[in-house]
Amino acid sequence: MGHEESSYIRQQREREAAAREAQEQIDGVVKQVLALPDEQLPPVWMMNKIGSHSAQHFKNTASWSFVELVRRGRLSTRSRVIDIGSGCGRLAIPFSLLIKEGEYYGTDVFEDGIKWCTQNVTPRNPGFKFFLQSVENNYYFGGDIKPSSTISLSFAKSDCIDFIFAISVFTHLVEADAERYFNEIARCLEPNGLAYLTAFIIDRTFPDFVERTGLHTEVAEVSPGHYQAYAGQDFFAGYTFDRWRTLIEQAGLEISGFDPGTWAEKRGSMHYQDTFIVTKK
């Protein structure tokens, strides 16, 4: 006499089947991205602008970042996504191969990158739209660091976005601009939505790291819990964990996950920058 399968075992089988299907979908996108010919990619000078020295590096970074974000956000063909700091499409390209019934909004201060994506990604996937942020950001433009009153995600309706990510964005913003983005993220996210944000968190290990390596010696506290430095093209913005959490919570958000970054040789690090999963309160 056979035994009836328990509901727990049935659920395991269903989850296993769903996970297998999702993994096959992810693997298929990665395979397509790695096979893209150079003529379907942005020019190398654009890749250099966002930190990729070659087409292969661009595709490799696109692939592993895509996998990380899809798994973190449990994203699907129907997901609604905002990419803050979309550059010249390094992540828009793989996501355009996944999201078919959903929506994807990319935004950046990099006008040439926005134009390239509009001309090359949107025609292949009309659900992908790109918007220029007219922000005085010295990482691209040079000059004095000034907060901007023009930061907005107004292209997206309130309470309708599943997943928002901003990789290496808040590390280049003055605090006032970071606050504006946090408020917009809180407005756009649906109640169960997530945001994936990276930052430089200044903790008790940071002074030792500076002394040992001679790196980031120009970083200084400019207001309680907020640190800045300006060297050449790069503008550095960092926060203590308490200050970062306060800014997030003031916007109606909360931190639900944290991974330390390798940038200051923090123990247990997985990614270069400190990485946060943020949800609505």
Side-chain angles (χ1 to χ4, degrees):
M1 182 176 179
H3 295 282
E4 184 178 350
E5 189 173 73
S6 70
S7 60
Y8 175 71
I9 294 298
R10 286 197 299 273
Q11 289 174 357
Q12 278 188 324
R13 293 187 188 281
E14 291 169 0
R15 292 192 190 102
E16 185 180 62
R20 184 167 55 249
E21 181 180 354
Q23 188 60 52
E24 289 172 354
Q25 201 167 46
I26 290 171
D27 291 344
V29 169
V30 169
K31 185 176 180 179
Q32 291 180 74
V33 170
L34 293 176
L36 286 172
D38 289 355
E39 56 267 25
Q40 292 184 27
L41 300 173
V44 173
W45 72 265
M46 282 192 191
M47 297 180 192
N48 294 164
K49 195 80 169 178
I50 63 165
S52 282
H53 64 272
S54 67
Q56 191 60 55
H57 181 274
F58 181 90
K59 292 190 288 187
N60 290 344
T61 304
S63 297
W64 69 256
S65 296
F66 166 78
V67 172
E68 163 84 358
L69 294 171
V70 170
R71 287 177 173 165
R72 290 277 196 172
R74 297 183 180 179
L75 304 180
S76 71
T77 61
R78 298 180 180 275
S79 294
R80 295 158 296 180
V81 173
I82 294 178
D83 177 356
I84 301 174
S86 54
C88 55
R90 185 162 58 190
L91 282 163
I93 291 170
F95 273 109
S96 69
L97 301 171
L98 171 71
I99 298 174
K100 301 301 182 183
E101 298 88 22
E103 299 172 332
Y104 187 103
Y105 301 101
T107 186
D108 206 291
V109 300
F110 185 20
E111 186 172 4
D112 288 321
I114 293 293
K115 287 180 178 177
W116 188 91
C117 290
T118 300
Q119 293 169 0
N120 293 275
V121 178
T122 302
R124 295 197 293 268
N125 192 326
F128 279 56
K129 298 178 174 63
F130 300 88
F131 300 88
L132 180 68
Q133 294 284 339
S134 298
V135 176
E136 285 292 336
N137 181 320
N138 81 300
Y139 184 68
Y140 292 112
F141 302 121
D144 295 334
I145 310 302
K146 297 178 181 178
S148 171
S149 61
T150 61
I151 284 176
S152 172
L153 303 179
S154 59
F155 45 78
K157 296 178 182 178
S158 299
D159 305 312
C160 72
I161 299 298
D162 303 310
F163 191 71
I164 298 174
F165 61 91
I167 299 173
S168 193
V169 173
F170 289 94
T171 51
H172 302 299
L173 299 178
V174 296
E175 188 173 286
D177 289 349
E179 289 183 88
R180 290 188 179 91
Y181 267 128
F182 286 139
N183 288 329
E184 280 290 84
I185 289 169
R187 179 187 66 80
C188 292
L189 280 178
E190 68 169 9
N192 294 320
L194 299 175
Y196 178 104
L197 314 174
T198 69
F200 289 140
I201 298 300
I202 308 297
D203 59 21
R204 60 184 179 81
T205 68
F206 181 69
D208 176 64
F209 169 74
V210 173
E211 184 176 351
R212 283 188 294 104
T213 65
L215 299 173
H216 297 299
T217 56
E218 69 280 4
V219 173
E221 189 172 22
V222 294
S223 62
H226 179 44
Y227 292 73
Q228 291 181 4
Y230 179 34
Q233 185 189 23
D234 294 322
F235 175 66
F236 175 106
Y239 301 86
T240 61
F241 194 98
D242 286 344
R243 183 57 187 160
W244 179 252
R245 180 172 54 197
T246 296
L247 292 173
I248 287 172
E249 291 180 348
Q250 285 175 344
L253 302 165
E254 61 184 352
I255 296 169
S256 62
F258 166 65
D259 293 330
T262 64
W263 71 278
E265 297 179 354
K266 299 179 182 181
R267 297 178 66 182
S269 303
M270 291 184 63
H271 309 290
Y272 178 67
Q273 294 183 5
D274 300 297
T275 301
F276 292 83
I277 303 299
V278 174
T279 57
K280 276 191 175 182
K281 286 185 178 179

